[in-house]
Short mmCIF file of all heavy atoms in Angstrom, two decimals:
data_model
loop_
_atom_site.label_atom_id
_atom_site.label_comp_id
_atom_site.label_asym_id
_atom_site.label_seq_id
_atom_site.Cartn_x
_atom_site.Cartn_y
_atom_site.Cartn_z
N LEU A 1 -11.32 -6.09 -3.04
CA LEU A 1 -10.88 -4.71 -3.19
C LEU A 1 -11.90 -3.75 -2.57
O LEU A 1 -11.53 -2.74 -1.95
CB LEU A 1 -10.67 -4.38 -4.67
CG LEU A 1 -9.62 -5.22 -5.40
CD1 LEU A 1 -9.58 -4.84 -6.87
CD2 LEU A 1 -8.26 -5.06 -4.77
N PHE A 2 -13.18 -4.05 -2.73
CA PHE A 2 -14.22 -3.18 -2.18
C PHE A 2 -14.38 -3.41 -0.67
O PHE A 2 -14.45 -2.44 0.09
CB PHE A 2 -15.54 -3.43 -2.91
CG PHE A 2 -15.46 -3.13 -4.38
CD1 PHE A 2 -15.43 -4.16 -5.31
CD2 PHE A 2 -15.40 -1.83 -4.84
CE1 PHE A 2 -15.34 -3.89 -6.66
CE2 PHE A 2 -15.31 -1.54 -6.19
CZ PHE A 2 -15.28 -2.58 -7.11
N TRP A 3 -14.44 -4.66 -0.25
CA TRP A 3 -14.60 -4.94 1.18
C TRP A 3 -13.41 -4.44 1.98
O TRP A 3 -13.57 -3.77 3.01
CB TRP A 3 -14.78 -6.45 1.40
CG TRP A 3 -16.07 -7.01 0.94
CD1 TRP A 3 -16.94 -6.45 0.04
CD2 TRP A 3 -16.65 -8.25 1.33
NE1 TRP A 3 -18.02 -7.28 -0.15
CE2 TRP A 3 -17.87 -8.38 0.62
CE3 TRP A 3 -16.26 -9.28 2.20
CZ2 TRP A 3 -18.70 -9.51 0.77
CZ3 TRP A 3 -17.07 -10.38 2.33
CH2 TRP A 3 -18.28 -10.50 1.64
N MET A 4 -12.21 -4.75 1.50
CA MET A 4 -11.02 -4.35 2.26
C MET A 4 -10.74 -2.87 2.10
O MET A 4 -10.10 -2.26 2.97
CB MET A 4 -9.81 -5.18 1.83
CG MET A 4 -9.92 -6.65 2.21
SD MET A 4 -10.17 -6.92 4.00
CE MET A 4 -11.96 -7.19 4.07
N GLY A 5 -11.19 -2.27 1.01
CA GLY A 5 -11.11 -0.82 0.92
C GLY A 5 -11.93 -0.16 2.01
O GLY A 5 -11.48 0.80 2.65
N CYS A 6 -13.13 -0.69 2.26
CA CYS A 6 -13.97 -0.17 3.35
C CYS A 6 -13.32 -0.40 4.70
O CYS A 6 -13.36 0.47 5.59
CB CYS A 6 -15.35 -0.84 3.31
SG CYS A 6 -16.39 -0.30 1.93
N VAL A 7 -12.70 -1.56 4.89
CA VAL A 7 -12.00 -1.86 6.15
C VAL A 7 -10.85 -0.89 6.37
O VAL A 7 -10.63 -0.39 7.48
CB VAL A 7 -11.51 -3.32 6.15
CG1 VAL A 7 -10.51 -3.55 7.29
CG2 VAL A 7 -12.69 -4.27 6.29
N ALA A 8 -10.10 -0.59 5.31
CA ALA A 8 -8.99 0.36 5.44
C ALA A 8 -9.50 1.73 5.88
O ALA A 8 -8.85 2.41 6.69
CB ALA A 8 -8.25 0.47 4.10
N VAL A 9 -10.66 2.13 5.36
CA VAL A 9 -11.24 3.41 5.77
C VAL A 9 -11.61 3.38 7.25
O VAL A 9 -11.34 4.34 7.99
CB VAL A 9 -12.48 3.74 4.90
CG1 VAL A 9 -13.23 4.94 5.46
CG2 VAL A 9 -12.06 4.01 3.46
N VAL A 10 -12.23 2.30 7.71
CA VAL A 10 -12.62 2.19 9.11
C VAL A 10 -11.39 2.27 10.01
O VAL A 10 -11.39 2.94 11.06
CB VAL A 10 -13.40 0.89 9.37
CG1 VAL A 10 -13.59 0.65 10.86
CG2 VAL A 10 -14.75 0.94 8.67
N ILE A 11 -10.31 1.59 9.62
CA ILE A 11 -9.08 1.63 10.43
C ILE A 11 -8.58 3.06 10.55
O ILE A 11 -8.20 3.52 11.64
CB ILE A 11 -8.00 0.73 9.81
CG1 ILE A 11 -8.42 -0.74 9.90
CG2 ILE A 11 -6.66 0.92 10.53
CD1 ILE A 11 -7.48 -1.69 9.16
N GLU A 12 -8.60 3.79 9.45
CA GLU A 12 -8.11 5.18 9.49
C GLU A 12 -9.02 6.07 10.32
O GLU A 12 -8.55 6.99 11.01
CB GLU A 12 -7.97 5.73 8.07
CG GLU A 12 -6.72 5.27 7.36
CD GLU A 12 -5.45 5.62 8.14
OE1 GLU A 12 -5.13 6.82 8.24
OE2 GLU A 12 -4.80 4.70 8.66
N ILE A 13 -10.32 5.81 10.28
CA ILE A 13 -11.23 6.61 11.10
C ILE A 13 -10.96 6.36 12.58
O ILE A 13 -10.91 7.31 13.39
CB ILE A 13 -12.70 6.26 10.76
CG1 ILE A 13 -13.05 6.78 9.35
CG2 ILE A 13 -13.67 6.87 11.78
CD1 ILE A 13 -14.38 6.31 8.83
N VAL A 14 -10.76 5.10 12.95
CA VAL A 14 -10.45 4.77 14.34
C VAL A 14 -9.10 5.35 14.73
O VAL A 14 -8.92 5.90 15.83
CB VAL A 14 -10.47 3.25 14.56
CG1 VAL A 14 -9.97 2.90 15.96
CG2 VAL A 14 -11.88 2.70 14.35
N ARG A 15 -8.13 5.28 13.82
CA ARG A 15 -6.76 5.72 14.14
C ARG A 15 -6.65 7.23 14.24
O ARG A 15 -5.92 7.76 15.10
CB ARG A 15 -5.79 5.20 13.06
CG ARG A 15 -4.32 5.33 13.44
CD ARG A 15 -3.44 4.75 12.36
NE ARG A 15 -3.36 5.63 11.21
CZ ARG A 15 -2.50 6.64 11.08
NH1 ARG A 15 -1.64 6.90 12.06
NH2 ARG A 15 -2.49 7.38 10.00
N THR A 16 -7.37 7.95 13.37
CA THR A 16 -7.17 9.39 13.31
C THR A 16 -8.37 10.19 13.82
O THR A 16 -8.24 11.38 14.09
CB THR A 16 -6.92 9.82 11.85
OG1 THR A 16 -8.10 9.60 11.07
CG2 THR A 16 -5.76 9.03 11.24
N GLY A 17 -9.55 9.57 13.91
CA GLY A 17 -10.75 10.30 14.30
C GLY A 17 -11.30 11.18 13.21
O GLY A 17 -12.19 12.01 13.46
N ASN A 18 -10.84 11.01 11.97
CA ASN A 18 -11.28 11.84 10.85
C ASN A 18 -12.58 11.29 10.28
O ASN A 18 -12.58 10.38 9.44
CB ASN A 18 -10.20 11.89 9.78
CG ASN A 18 -10.56 12.81 8.62
OD1 ASN A 18 -11.63 13.42 8.61
ND2 ASN A 18 -9.67 12.91 7.65
N SER A 19 -13.70 11.83 10.68
CA SER A 19 -15.00 11.32 10.25
C SER A 19 -15.30 11.57 8.79
O SER A 19 -16.17 10.91 8.20
CB SER A 19 -16.11 11.94 11.10
OG SER A 19 -15.98 11.58 12.45
N ARG A 20 -14.61 12.52 8.18
CA ARG A 20 -14.85 12.79 6.76
C ARG A 20 -14.51 11.59 5.88
O ARG A 20 -14.99 11.48 4.75
CB ARG A 20 -14.05 14.01 6.31
CG ARG A 20 -14.58 15.33 6.86
CD ARG A 20 -13.74 16.50 6.39
NE ARG A 20 -14.31 17.78 6.80
CZ ARG A 20 -14.12 18.33 7.98
NH1 ARG A 20 -13.36 17.70 8.89
NH2 ARG A 20 -14.69 19.49 8.29
N LEU A 21 -13.68 10.69 6.42
CA LEU A 21 -13.29 9.51 5.65
C LEU A 21 -14.47 8.59 5.37
O LEU A 21 -14.39 7.72 4.50
CB LEU A 21 -12.19 8.74 6.38
CG LEU A 21 -10.85 9.46 6.50
CD1 LEU A 21 -9.89 8.67 7.37
CD2 LEU A 21 -10.25 9.69 5.12
N TRP A 22 -15.58 8.75 6.09
CA TRP A 22 -16.76 7.94 5.81
C TRP A 22 -17.24 8.12 4.36
O TRP A 22 -17.86 7.22 3.79
CB TRP A 22 -17.91 8.29 6.76
CG TRP A 22 -17.77 7.72 8.13
CD1 TRP A 22 -17.61 8.41 9.30
CD2 TRP A 22 -17.78 6.33 8.49
NE1 TRP A 22 -17.51 7.55 10.37
CE2 TRP A 22 -17.62 6.26 9.89
CE3 TRP A 22 -17.89 5.15 7.76
CZ2 TRP A 22 -17.57 5.05 10.58
CZ3 TRP A 22 -17.85 3.93 8.44
CH2 TRP A 22 -17.69 3.89 9.83
N LEU A 23 -16.96 9.28 3.78
CA LEU A 23 -17.36 9.50 2.39
C LEU A 23 -16.71 8.47 1.47
O LEU A 23 -17.35 7.97 0.53
CB LEU A 23 -17.01 10.92 1.95
CG LEU A 23 -17.72 12.05 2.70
CD1 LEU A 23 -17.24 13.41 2.19
CD2 LEU A 23 -19.24 11.92 2.56
N TRP A 24 -15.45 8.15 1.73
CA TRP A 24 -14.77 7.13 0.94
C TRP A 24 -15.38 5.76 1.17
O TRP A 24 -15.49 4.96 0.25
CB TRP A 24 -13.27 7.11 1.26
CG TRP A 24 -12.53 8.25 0.65
CD1 TRP A 24 -11.98 9.32 1.28
CD2 TRP A 24 -12.27 8.44 -0.74
NE1 TRP A 24 -11.40 10.17 0.38
CE2 TRP A 24 -11.56 9.65 -0.87
CE3 TRP A 24 -12.57 7.70 -1.89
CZ2 TRP A 24 -11.14 10.13 -2.11
CZ3 TRP A 24 -12.16 8.18 -3.13
CH2 TRP A 24 -11.45 9.38 -3.22
N PHE A 25 -15.80 5.49 2.40
CA PHE A 25 -16.50 4.24 2.70
C PHE A 25 -17.76 4.14 1.84
O PHE A 25 -18.06 3.10 1.25
CB PHE A 25 -16.85 4.19 4.19
CG PHE A 25 -17.44 2.87 4.65
CD1 PHE A 25 -16.65 1.97 5.34
CD2 PHE A 25 -18.77 2.55 4.40
CE1 PHE A 25 -17.18 0.75 5.77
CE2 PHE A 25 -19.30 1.34 4.82
CZ PHE A 25 -18.51 0.44 5.51
N GLY A 26 -18.51 5.25 1.76
CA GLY A 26 -19.73 5.25 0.97
C GLY A 26 -19.47 5.00 -0.50
O GLY A 26 -20.22 4.24 -1.15
N VAL A 27 -18.43 5.62 -1.05
CA VAL A 27 -18.10 5.41 -2.47
C VAL A 27 -17.73 3.95 -2.72
O VAL A 27 -18.22 3.32 -3.67
CB VAL A 27 -16.96 6.35 -2.90
CG1 VAL A 27 -16.44 5.98 -4.29
CG2 VAL A 27 -17.43 7.80 -2.88
N LEU A 28 -16.87 3.41 -1.86
CA LEU A 28 -16.44 2.02 -2.03
C LEU A 28 -17.61 1.05 -1.84
O LEU A 28 -17.72 0.05 -2.57
CB LEU A 28 -15.32 1.69 -1.05
CG LEU A 28 -13.98 2.37 -1.34
CD1 LEU A 28 -13.04 2.25 -0.15
CD2 LEU A 28 -13.34 1.73 -2.58
N ALA A 29 -18.47 1.32 -0.87
CA ALA A 29 -19.63 0.45 -0.65
C ALA A 29 -20.58 0.50 -1.84
O ALA A 29 -21.11 -0.53 -2.27
CB ALA A 29 -20.36 0.85 0.63
N GLY A 30 -20.80 1.69 -2.40
CA GLY A 30 -21.67 1.81 -3.56
C GLY A 30 -21.11 1.07 -4.76
O GLY A 30 -21.84 0.34 -5.46
N LEU A 31 -19.82 1.23 -5.02
CA LEU A 31 -19.19 0.50 -6.12
C LEU A 31 -19.20 -1.00 -5.85
O LEU A 31 -19.37 -1.81 -6.77
CB LEU A 31 -17.76 1.00 -6.33
CG LEU A 31 -17.64 2.43 -6.86
CD1 LEU A 31 -16.18 2.87 -6.88
CD2 LEU A 31 -18.26 2.56 -8.25
N GLY A 32 -19.02 -1.38 -4.57
CA GLY A 32 -19.08 -2.79 -4.21
C GLY A 32 -20.44 -3.39 -4.49
O GLY A 32 -20.54 -4.55 -4.91
N LEU A 33 -21.50 -2.62 -4.27
CA LEU A 33 -22.85 -3.08 -4.60
C LEU A 33 -23.01 -3.28 -6.10
O LEU A 33 -23.73 -4.19 -6.54
CB LEU A 33 -23.89 -2.09 -4.09
CG LEU A 33 -24.23 -2.13 -2.61
CD1 LEU A 33 -25.02 -0.91 -2.20
CD2 LEU A 33 -25.01 -3.40 -2.29
N GLU A 34 -22.36 -2.44 -6.88
CA GLU A 34 -22.43 -2.59 -8.33
C GLU A 34 -21.57 -3.75 -8.82
O GLU A 34 -21.68 -4.18 -9.97
CB GLU A 34 -21.99 -1.30 -9.02
CG GLU A 34 -22.88 -0.10 -8.74
CD GLU A 34 -24.23 -0.18 -9.42
OE1 GLU A 34 -24.95 -1.18 -9.21
OE2 GLU A 34 -24.56 0.76 -10.16
N ASN A 35 -20.69 -4.25 -7.94
CA ASN A 35 -19.89 -5.42 -8.27
C ASN A 35 -20.61 -6.71 -7.89
O ASN A 35 -20.67 -7.66 -8.68
CB ASN A 35 -18.55 -5.35 -7.54
CG ASN A 35 -17.66 -6.55 -7.82
OD1 ASN A 35 -17.11 -6.70 -8.91
ND2 ASN A 35 -17.51 -7.43 -6.84
N LYS A 36 -21.15 -6.75 -6.66
CA LYS A 36 -21.86 -7.94 -6.19
C LYS A 36 -22.79 -7.54 -5.07
O LYS A 36 -22.41 -6.78 -4.17
CB LYS A 36 -20.86 -9.01 -5.71
CG LYS A 36 -21.49 -10.35 -5.39
CD LYS A 36 -20.42 -11.36 -4.99
CE LYS A 36 -21.04 -12.70 -4.63
NZ LYS A 36 -20.02 -13.69 -4.21
N TYR A 37 -24.00 -8.09 -5.09
CA TYR A 37 -25.00 -7.68 -4.11
C TYR A 37 -24.66 -8.12 -2.69
O TYR A 37 -25.27 -7.65 -1.74
CB TYR A 37 -26.37 -8.23 -4.51
CG TYR A 37 -26.84 -7.74 -5.85
CD1 TYR A 37 -27.21 -8.63 -6.86
CD2 TYR A 37 -26.91 -6.38 -6.14
CE1 TYR A 37 -27.65 -8.18 -8.10
CE2 TYR A 37 -27.34 -5.92 -7.37
CZ TYR A 37 -27.71 -6.83 -8.36
OH TYR A 37 -28.12 -6.37 -9.58
N ALA A 38 -23.68 -9.00 -2.54
CA ALA A 38 -23.25 -9.42 -1.19
C ALA A 38 -22.71 -8.25 -0.38
O ALA A 38 -22.56 -8.36 0.84
CB ALA A 38 -22.20 -10.52 -1.28
N MET A 39 -22.44 -7.13 -1.04
CA MET A 39 -22.02 -5.93 -0.32
C MET A 39 -23.10 -5.49 0.66
O MET A 39 -22.80 -4.85 1.68
CB MET A 39 -21.71 -4.81 -1.31
CG MET A 39 -21.01 -3.60 -0.70
SD MET A 39 -19.24 -3.92 -0.51
CE MET A 39 -18.85 -2.83 0.86
N LEU A 40 -24.36 -5.82 0.39
CA LEU A 40 -25.44 -5.52 1.33
C LEU A 40 -25.23 -6.26 2.64
O LEU A 40 -25.49 -5.71 3.72
CB LEU A 40 -26.79 -5.91 0.72
CG LEU A 40 -27.33 -5.03 -0.40
CD1 LEU A 40 -28.52 -5.70 -1.07
CD2 LEU A 40 -27.71 -3.65 0.13
N VAL A 41 -24.79 -7.50 2.56
CA VAL A 41 -24.52 -8.29 3.77
C VAL A 41 -23.35 -7.67 4.53
O VAL A 41 -23.40 -7.55 5.76
CB VAL A 41 -24.21 -9.76 3.40
CG1 VAL A 41 -23.96 -10.59 4.64
CG2 VAL A 41 -25.37 -10.35 2.59
N PHE A 42 -22.33 -7.26 3.80
CA PHE A 42 -21.18 -6.58 4.43
C PHE A 42 -21.65 -5.33 5.14
O PHE A 42 -21.26 -5.06 6.29
CB PHE A 42 -20.14 -6.24 3.36
CG PHE A 42 -18.93 -5.51 3.89
CD1 PHE A 42 -17.79 -6.21 4.25
CD2 PHE A 42 -18.93 -4.12 4.02
CE1 PHE A 42 -16.67 -5.54 4.73
CE2 PHE A 42 -17.82 -3.45 4.49
CZ PHE A 42 -16.68 -4.16 4.86
N GLY A 43 -22.49 -4.53 4.48
CA GLY A 43 -22.96 -3.29 5.08
C GLY A 43 -23.78 -3.52 6.34
O GLY A 43 -23.63 -2.80 7.34
#
C-alpha cells in the first residue's frame, strides 16, 4: 500500500506535470518507514 501509493503518485506527476503531488509521496514514504524500514531501500 505504501510502495504502490508512492508509485501512483509518480505516475500522476509524469502524466500531469503537477509537482505538488510530491507532498503525497513524502507522506506515504514517511508512513511506509513507520511500517517497515525497507522503505529506505525503496527511497
Side-chain angles (χ1 to χ4, degrees):
L1 300 177
F2 299 106
W3 289 19
M4 293 303 99
C6 288
V7 167
V9 170
V10 170
I11 293 173
E12 281 304 291
I13 290 171
V14 173
R15 193 178 75 86
T16 66
N18 183 0
S19 297
R20 288 180 175 83
L21 293 174
W22 283 115
L23 297 178
W24 285 109
F25 187 102
V27 170
L28 290 167
L31 292 174
L33 281 167
E34 297 288 56
N35 179 73
K36 188 177 179 181
Y37 300 125
M39 191 80 207
L40 287 169
V41 181
F42 179 94

